Amino acid sequence: MNILLLGSGGREHALAWKMSQSNLLTKLFIAPGNTGTALCGTNVNIAATDFESIKKFCVDNAVEMIVVGPEEPLVKGIYDFFKEDAAISHIPVIGPSKKGALLEGSKAFAKAFMQTHNIPSAAYREFDESNYEEGVAYLQSHALPIVLKADGLAAGKGVIICQNYIEAVAEFELMIQQSKFGEASKKVVVESFLSGIEMSVFVLTDGNHYVILPDAKDYKRIGEGDKGLNTGGMGAISPVPFADKVFMQKIIDKIVEPTIEGIRKDKLEYAGFVFIGIIKVDDEPFVIEYNCRMGDPETEVVMPRLKNDLVTLFEATAQQKLNEIKIETDPRSAATVVAVSGGYPGEYEKGKPIEGLDLIQEEETIVFHAGTKQQGDGIVTAGGRVLAVTSFGSTVQKAVEKSKSILEIIEFDGMHFRKDIGYEFY
Ligand code: AMP
Ligand code: GLY
């Protein structure tokens, strides 16, 4: 089978790495890809949201399946674009329809979905220009802290946790009246704050059946001890030590089953990943958010622990046969530690030569590329998150230690990585 994977980050390198191990694969193309995906297939210089060019490429190259890495093409409707065009409607898109992608693309849609289907989540109200004054009054009578969420996609920056009323009202005004996040914040979800520990659950569904992939936990803050600014993700571990059988069963019964049932009942056409951000409050799971794609950097630990053939899973997804699949998982722990550019998540420079990549020959380690670029004979930095180094170990701590020792071999000007990924579980 010829497959086109859309995206260009560490997540896509991990998906490409896993798909390239499949006997079912003939050719793998990645658009636009990065230096890492080029090791697993052929990069194609097309943006993941340029649907017309993607269509032409698929027709010209006999592509038989599209796998979508990031959310943007899904929220913009790539699934429907393919389905509605007779020239390409035979090519399955692994991902949800535009309506299904609203689970990520609209926080208000996701909250209403959870309420309808009795899925545990924080209490909320939604506001826009039409009920703005009511919103201000609501905020001022709400318990602190208060969570404000831009309804639409805001590149991971649309959630603001306010510790006092002055800040809450100011942010509310900025979001709705001053379009702080453009169209995305014309509507705002105001939510109660939940206190607990977070984890990520990954479900692959064909719209009727589902399988659960290895669980993971990511580390979003730039600084050790989860301090400082939010980033795209500084590391991840899998499995999650506190997600024991009892807790996972609660997640399945109270969240996963009703979510898949809700997708079916609401006729949200869906043939792809549902990433459920969970928070454990006391011993109960609540949904923090849905995403319609895999997580990054979680994919860099989930794919290495998944023993099943990924192309087989995608085929079963497209053919609505996921009920025939049994997921098999590597029992070892995996950890990924992300090396970022100096200054990230603020301003940073690109184009720094990366040294040492050719010296790594460890069997239990995989170096996934996130923001890298080929320049002449060398590889240079091309983004904030540059590399995600994944290792296996008998414990989380051993896996993290291994990735850190590999990162000691790699060098680029300004390189930074967190030394404490998985610290709660040492
Ligand atoms: P999101 O962009 O929806 O992933 O939210 C970003 C982060 O904000 C989450 O990973 C949580 O750490 C935090 N967050 C979101 N909603 C809540 C909530 N209701 N209570 C506490 N923290 C939250
Ligand atoms: N790691 C969180 C995300 O991919 O949204």
Side-chain angles (χ1 to χ4, degrees), residues 107 122 147 149 159 161 191-194 198 220 288-289:
K107 304 270 188 208
V147 184
K149 297 186 170 181
V159 175
I161 297 172
E191 202 175 275
S192 302
F193 180 81
L194 297 174
E198 290 176 59
K220 291 195 179 73
I288 285 280
E289 61 164 348

Side-chain angles (χ1 to χ4, degrees), residues 90-155:
H90 62 284
I91 305 173
V93 173
I94 301 301
S97 63
K98 191 170 183 173
K99 201 168 163 201
L102 283 175
L103 284 178
E104 173 164 2
S106 165
K107 304 270 188 208
F109 178 90
K111 294 299 286 189
F113 175 89
M114 287 185 260
Q115 202 164 51
T116 305
H117 301 291
N118 285 318
I119 297 165
S121 171
Y124 84 106
R125 290 273 310 271
E126 61 181 79
F127 298 99
D128 58 18
E129 188 58 56
S130 69
N131 58 353
Y132 180 80
E133 291 305 330
E134 195 187 336
V136 172
Y138 180 76
L139 284 175
Q140 284 164 336
S141 63
H142 197 286
L144 292 168
I146 312 173
V147 184
L148 302 188
K149 297 186 170 181
D151 178 51
L153 291 186

Side-chain angles (χ1 to χ4, degrees), residues 362 365 400-410 417:
E362 292 288 336
T365 295
V400 173
E401 291 302 332
K402 181 115 202 167
S403 283
K404 282 181 358 192
S405 71
I406 297 297
L407 279 164
E408 296 300 336
I409 304 171
I410 300 173
F417 62 91

Side-chain angles (χ1 to χ4, degrees), residues 51-229:
F51 295 176
E52 286 296 342
S53 301
I54 292 169
K55 170 185 169 182
K56 183 168 184 325
F57 183 85
C58 289
V59 172
D60 292 348
N61 293 276
V63 168
E64 295 163 275
M65 176 183 280
I66 308 259
V67 177
V68 187
E71 63 278 14
E72 207 186 340
L74 294 165
V75 172
K76 289 192 167 151
I78 192 162
Y79 180 100
D80 312 69
F81 177 86
F82 269 72
K83 195 178 169 198
E84 288 158 12
D85 186 332
I88 46 174
S89 59
H90 62 284
I91 305 173
V93 173
I94 301 301
S97 63
K98 191 170 183 173
K99 201 168 163 201
L102 283 175
L103 284 178
E104 173 164 2
S106 165
K107 304 270 188 208
F109 178 90
K111 294 299 286 189
F113 175 89
M114 287 185 260
Q115 202 164 51
T116 305
H117 301 291
N118 285 318
I119 297 165
S121 171
Y124 84 106
R125 290 273 310 271
E126 61 181 79
F127 298 99
D128 58 18
E129 188 58 56
S130 69
N131 58 353
Y132 180 80
E133 291 305 330
E134 195 187 336
V136 172
Y138 180 76
L139 284 175
Q140 284 164 336
S141 63
H142 197 286
L144 292 168
I146 312 173
V147 184
L148 302 188
K149 297 186 170 181
D151 178 51
L153 291 186
K157 298 194 172 79
V159 175
I160 298 169
I161 297 172
C162 303
Q163 304 295 338
N164 62 63
Y165 295 115
I166 294 172
E167 186 192 356
V169 174
E171 283 295 344
F172 189 69
E173 189 201 331
L174 277 175
M175 285 166 102
I176 294 182
Q177 310 273 21
Q178 319 286 338
S179 307
K180 179 172 179 179
F181 301 108
E183 278 301 307
S185 65
K186 289 271 181 202
K187 192 187 276 180
V188 169
V189 164
V190 178
E191 202 175 275
S192 302
F193 180 81
L194 297 174
S195 180
I197 187 160
E198 290 176 59
M199 64 175 287
S200 307
V201 170
F202 300 100
V203 179
L204 180 63
T205 183
D206 57 21
N208 276 313
H209 321 101
Y210 70 89
V211 291
I212 298 183
L213 305 177
D215 47 78
K217 174 164 178 49
D218 75 338
Y219 292 81
K220 291 195 179 73
R221 303 289 183 138
I222 187 74
E224 264 134 50
D226 287 325
K227 303 259 163 39
L229 293 174

Side-chain angles (χ1 to χ4, degrees), residues 11 200 218 220 232-233 275 289 291 293-298:
R11 166 182 51 214
S200 307
D218 75 338
K220 291 195 179 73
F275 160 178
E289 61 164 348
N291 294 306
R293 51 166 173 90
M294 285 297 290
D296 196 351
E298 290 100 321

